[in-house]
Amino acid sequence: MKTIFRNKKISGLLSVLPATTVKFEDEINNYTFPPKQTLRLQKVMGYKQHAIVKKTTATSDLCLVGLEYILQKGWLKKEEIGGIVVACSYPDHFIPPVSNIIHGKLELSEDVYCVDMSQGCVGFLMALTQGLMLLDHIKDKKIIVISADVLSKKISRQDRNSYPLVGDAAGIAVLENSEEENAIFTIIRNNGSMSDALTIPAGGSRMPCNEETAKLIDRDNDGNLRSLDNLAMNGSDVFTFVQTKVPPMVEEVLEYAGVTKEDIAYYLFHQPNKFMLKKLAEKIGVPYEKVPMNVVEEFGNSSGACIPVCATFNIADILKSENYKYCLSAFGSGLTWEAMVMEIGKLDFCEMLVSNC
């Protein structure tokens, strides 16, 4: 899919982080590897700490903390909400959808359109795309776009490949139609033949959870213990996918938008880890300082919420005061990858909120 959205904008941005932060060094004894070997990963991958929810916290809890904060601040009124789009890969329940749970808790109008999308790392951009399309049909209302996950609950604490980098968070954007002429350039692509590169094998209708799927074993003979109930990632396949598919798409979306690399103020990318982002910046040919890459070391990889977390943590003041062109790109489960070029700025709000979740 390749398209242009016109006269639409992001008017507010909020990220919500859990209060509990765990240091990388405090977890090195979780793994079957010698501590010295594990600590070497810290330098390569940029691991430092990650923010993780409480055992009792569900995905909707982070979303509601953020939305209630926005409403309390007066940045948005309930009657202005025309739709809620939620992207997540680990919802509260199979049924009902997270968007409907949020709708009910906030006691919104029955006219509000609610939809969930089963998306991981590309969740924010996919939900943003869906929200932009909805604006053509809910012209006088605003769309709430949310990407949230609590994937720390679905990754084995004895899986050194995945657990050190995972973080929990919610990213919330308010979308509305704009009176000013503008254009948002978007490209989305999928390769379902590689969908098993990032998967949680058990828990769905194909393989319901049971005692056997819960057993922790070394499934790849690499020293990492996980069950079939846990997320499994083929790191080499994902790395190759990112390095081969994302740079050409970024080049393509820049050309589609009629801008140069220098015209872009910042490249706000999904945050897999610092190593991959450095390689990605080099491959695209943009300086490191234009590609914020400190999210994993501070908060962990929060799946689809990474881009809002990255923006609110690194450039909140700029987004509230100035209007610049940005390139947004995300890539992950599906496998799916997307890139956008858009102007963002002079936001009504742009904050990072730490909750008690």
Side-chain angles (χ1 to χ4, degrees):
M1 175 177 163
K2 189 174 181 179
T3 192
I4 303 171
F5 299 102
R6 299 191 184 278
N7 307 331
K8 295 165 176 51
K9 67 178 182 179
I10 296 175
S11 56
L13 200 58
L14 181 78
S15 63
V16 185
L17 278 296
T20 303
T21 300
V22 184
K23 301 283 186 182
F24 178 76
E25 293 90 339
D26 294 339
E27 295 178 327
I28 59 175
N29 292 320
N30 289 357
Y31 314 118
T32 60
F33 305 90
K36 285 186 178 179
Q37 182 185 352
T38 299
L39 284 169
R40 282 199 286 269
L41 278 176
Q42 204 168 21
K43 295 181 180 179
V44 177
M45 299 296 186
Y47 297 153
K48 179 182 172 185
Q49 59 191 18
H50 51 170
I52 294 173
V53 295
K54 298 174 183 177
K55 290 182 179 180
T56 55
T57 300
T59 299
S60 71
D61 295 327
L62 285 173
C63 304
L64 284 163
V65 165
L67 286 171
E68 287 167 354
Y69 181 76
I70 291 169
L71 291 168
Q72 180 185 4
K73 287 286 186 178
W75 293 327
L76 180 70
K77 297 177 181 178
K78 288 185 181 182
E79 56 267 26
E80 294 179 309
I81 300 173
I84 302 172
V85 182
V86 176
C88 66
S89 52
Y90 189 35
D92 298 25
H93 315 281
F94 283 140
I95 299 171
V98 175
S99 56
N100 288 78
I101 293 172
I102 292 168
H103 178 279
K105 294 285 187 181
L106 294 181
E107 298 180 340
L108 298 178
S109 162
E110 292 182 356
D111 290 330
V112 174
Y113 178 88
C114 295
V115 63
D116 278 21
M117 306 175 70
S118 178
Q119 284 291 336
C121 302
V122 193
F124 180 69
L125 293 190
M126 291 287 283
L128 200 62
T129 301
Q130 182 71 41
L132 291 167
M133 289 190 283
L134 281 172
L135 283 174
D136 284 335
H137 304 278
I138 312 178
K139 297 180 185 292
D140 59 338
K141 300 285 186 178
K142 299 178 181 181
I143 304 295
I144 307 302
V145 165
I146 304 172
S147 186
D149 260 314
V150 291
L151 281 174
S152 65
K153 295 184 168 193
K154 292 301 290 182
I155 298 180
S156 168
R157 291 174 181 262
Q158 293 175 273
D159 184 350
R160 196 186 65 173
N161 283 349
S162 300
Y163 192 72
L165 63 84
V166 70
D168 301 320
I172 302 172
V174 176
L175 301 184
E176 59 184 278
N177 287 300
S178 174
E179 295 179 357
E180 298 179 7
E181 293 284 334
N182 63 42
I184 300 170
F185 301 86
T186 305
I187 301 175
I188 308 169
R189 297 215 169 91
N190 296 276
N191 183 354
S193 67
M194 292 185 67
S195 59
D196 60 355
L198 276 162
T199 181
I200 299 175
S205 59
R206 177 68 62 191
M207 186 189 299
C209 293
N210 56 46
E211 290 183 5
E212 288 299 312
T213 66
K215 289 180 179 178
L216 287 169
I217 62 174
D218 186 354
R219 298 184 179 277
D220 301 318
N221 297 315
D222 59 2
N224 291 293
L225 307 182
R226 69 173 185 273
S227 74
L228 292 171
D229 299 337
N230 298 138
L231 183 142
M233 175 176 65
N234 186 320
S236 60
D237 282 357
V238 172
F239 179 81
T240 301
F241 152 68
V242 171
Q243 297 301 313
T244 56
K245 295 295 186 180
V246 178
M249 174 177 275
V250 170
E251 298 272 3
E252 185 179 357
V253 79
L254 293 175
E255 182 179 355
Y256 188 37
V259 298
T260 67
K261 294 173 187 176
E262 292 72 27
D263 292 329
I264 301 297
Y266 287 97
Y267 294 81
L268 300 175
F269 289 168
H270 171 62
Q271 303 278 308
N273 58 60
K274 183 176 284 188
F275 175 76
M276 286 181 69
L277 286 168
K278 281 185 174 180
K279 294 296 182 185
L280 191 55
E282 291 166 7
K283 193 92 171 180
I284 295 169
V286 295
Y288 290 160
E289 56 266 25
K290 279 197 169 188
V291 187
M293 53 185 73
N294 54 1
V295 168
V296 168
E297 64 188 272
E298 295 294 336
F299 311 107
N301 174 348
S302 50
S303 189
C306 275
I307 289 177
V309 171
C310 181
T312 55
F313 181 60
N314 287 291
I315 56 170
D317 289 341
I318 295 172
L319 288 167
K320 286 187 288 188
S321 61
E322 304 292 340
N323 199 349
Y324 293 120
K325 283 188 171 65
Y326 295 86
C327 179
L328 285 60
S329 184
F331 29 86
S333 58
L335 292 175
T336 304
W337 60 112
E338 181 171 358
M340 280 186 178
V341 170
M342 65 187 303
E343 288 187 3
I344 312 175
K346 298 184 178 179
L347 300 183
D348 297 336
F349 62 92
C350 188
E351 288 191 15
M352 174 176 282
L353 177 66
V354 177
S355 75
N356 290 321
C357 289

